[in-house]
Amino acid sequence: MEKTILVAVDGSVYSGNSLDYLTKLFGNDRRLTIHLLSVVSSGGGGKDWMFDVDPLRAQSPGSDKRTQAARKQLKDAEERLLRNGFAKERIETRVKVASSISGAIREEAERGHYDSVLLGRRGLGAVGNMFLGSTSSDLVEKCHKVPLWIVDGSVNPSRFLLAVHSHPSSLMAADHLAFMLKGHPGVDICLYHSNSVFGSQQMARAEDFHAQWGKSWCDQYLDLDNFLFYAHAQLLVDNGIPRHRITQLPTQMHLDVSSDLLRQAKQHNCGTIVIGRRRRDLAKGQLKGVSDKTLKQAQNIAVWLAG
């Protein structure tokens, strides 16, 4: 099945890291289409903001120079992908001028029906700035219709840590992971649940899963009392992931679930953490906090937010 990824490019080493991650993971996958997008910020107090509503309006000299630079960045990014085995007919490029970089990326992601959005970012602590200033944080806050892949530093993507819990969003993340890795010859997936000593997320009802997976499948595979370990594994297998590539790690209890996820990923050599999340207006308490805190603490690792 065809897969399509939107990649935000700005010519920095951080977006370069995201391209390297992509080539390591999908360099030989001929079913993948990549859309490279560079957004030129109109910025300042001039009239370039009107380009958002009237694309035929002439750009200012400043924006024109930034557009030329963006086209060069896209060309460099395309050549980087071509050197690593991607087919030219599978790569598309686009420059867009907009008053909001994150808004333009989100609009393109939701308009284009992409399977994921890939971003590189600077390494940071709790108070650091992300890729293109606040772009990543704004997308995490507002972009919930398309899974986000956020790459920090140099990452080896051959092993994945899937954070499991008893909620449909977690199974949706597993479904996304299985779809994107279907047919991949050499990835391993570790299933892990981290309990908080301050109380765990309220368990969903079996009926909450029926609309997506059907009552029959749910009756056979849902193990709500076991954090859906079996259901996650079965969903991965149903989508073509070999069972011997799936490992269940022992459940542990910690004060900080996000720190524990990062620690487990490092301990088991997982370069990517996959977290299911609900819409921002539904995400409350621990579930929302885990994804946010994991991103803030992540270093030299990729985090997928799906669900």
Side-chain angles (χ1 to χ4, degrees), residues 96 102-112 139:
K96 184 172 183 178
S102 61
I105 295 173
R106 179 162 58 93
E107 178 185 333
E108 175 64 23
E110 296 175 354
R111 181 189 65 82
L139 284 168

Side-chain angles (χ1 to χ4, degrees), residues 163 192-200 252-264 286 289-291 293-294 297:
Y192 179 66
H193 177 80
S194 180
N195 258 336
S196 170
V197 297
F198 295 114
S200 58
Q252 297 188 32
M253 183 169 287
H254 286 270
L255 289 170
D256 185 348
V257 171
S258 55
S259 294
D260 184 39
L261 290 177
L262 291 163
R263 182 167 46 249
Q264 293 292 330
Q286 184 189 24
V290 168
S291 59
K293 291 180 181 178
T294 301
Q297 299 176 47

Side-chain angles (χ1 to χ4, degrees), residues 35-293:
H35 292 249
L36 302 174
L37 174 67
S38 182
V39 181
V40 175
S41 174
S42 54
K47 297 181 179 179
D48 285 341
W49 62 270
M50 298 192 72
F51 197 78
D52 291 350
V53 294
D54 182 5
L56 298 180
R57 179 179 294 272
Q59 296 171 243
S60 70
S63 289
D64 188 58
K65 290 180 180 179
R66 291 194 292 270
T67 299
Q68 292 177 20
R71 290 197 180 104
K72 183 181 185 306
Q73 292 162 3
L74 288 173
K75 181 176 175 58
D76 292 343
E78 181 181 20
E79 291 177 349
R80 190 171 190 158
L81 294 176
L82 293 174
R83 289 195 302 269
N84 285 277
F86 288 97
K88 187 174 181 61
E89 62 271 17
R90 289 290 190 175
I91 304 172
E92 299 182 7
T93 64
R94 183 184 180 196
V95 176
K96 184 172 183 178
V97 178
S99 56
S100 167
I101 292 176
S102 61
I105 295 173
R106 179 162 58 93
E107 178 185 333
E108 175 64 23
E110 296 175 354
R111 181 189 65 82
H113 305 291
Y114 297 98
D115 294 305
S116 65
V117 178
L118 175 63
L119 300 166
R121 74 160 198 191
R122 297 172 177 87
L124 60 123
V127 296
N129 286 327
M130 294 184 180
F131 165 89
L132 291 174
S134 61
T135 297
S136 292
S137 57
D138 196 48
L139 284 168
V140 169
E141 178 72 23
K142 299 175 182 177
C143 186
H144 284 254
K145 294 183 179 180
V146 185
L148 296 177
W149 300 1
I150 300 175
V151 177
D152 182 287
S154 179
V155 179
N156 184 348
S158 62
R159 291 177 62 84
F160 289 75
L161 182 77
L162 175 59
V164 306
H165 53 84
S166 298
H167 193 275
S169 62
S170 184
L171 275 188
M172 289 293 289
D175 189 74
H176 173 68
L177 177 63
F179 172 74
M180 297 306 298
L181 297 184
K182 193 166 187 176
H184 198 292
V187 295
D188 296 294
I189 300 172
C190 297
L191 308 181
Y192 179 66
H193 177 80
S194 180
N195 258 336
S196 170
V197 297
F198 295 114
S200 58
Q201 186 73 25
Q202 183 178 359
M203 186 171 60
R205 305 168 304 163
E207 294 79 10
D208 298 332
F209 298 81
H210 290 174
Q212 181 68 30
W213 292 281
K215 185 177 186 301
S216 178
W217 189 93
C218 292
D219 288 344
Q220 187 172 359
Y221 298 120
L222 284 189
D223 51 333
L224 287 167
D225 293 332
N226 189 40
F227 309 113
L228 298 181
F229 272 111
Y230 184 69
H232 282 80
Q234 186 61 45
L235 187 61
L236 293 170
V237 170
D238 287 347
N239 284 274
I241 305 297
R243 193 173 291 274
H244 70 274
R245 294 285 189 182
I246 304 169
T247 302
Q248 178 178 328
L249 304 179
T251 297
Q252 297 188 32
M253 183 169 287
H254 286 270
L255 289 170
D256 185 348
V257 171
S258 55
S259 294
D260 184 39
L261 290 177
L262 291 163
R263 182 167 46 249
Q264 293 292 330
K266 182 177 181 180
Q267 180 179 338
H268 295 278
N269 298 314
C270 296
T272 304
I273 297 176
V274 183
I275 302 175
R277 62 172 185 164
R278 291 179 285 179
R279 296 198 321 266
R280 180 65 55 170
D281 58 331
L282 296 178
K284 298 178 180 179
Q286 184 189 24
L287 189 62
K288 171 183 174 181
V290 168
S291 59
D292 290 350
K293 291 180 181 178

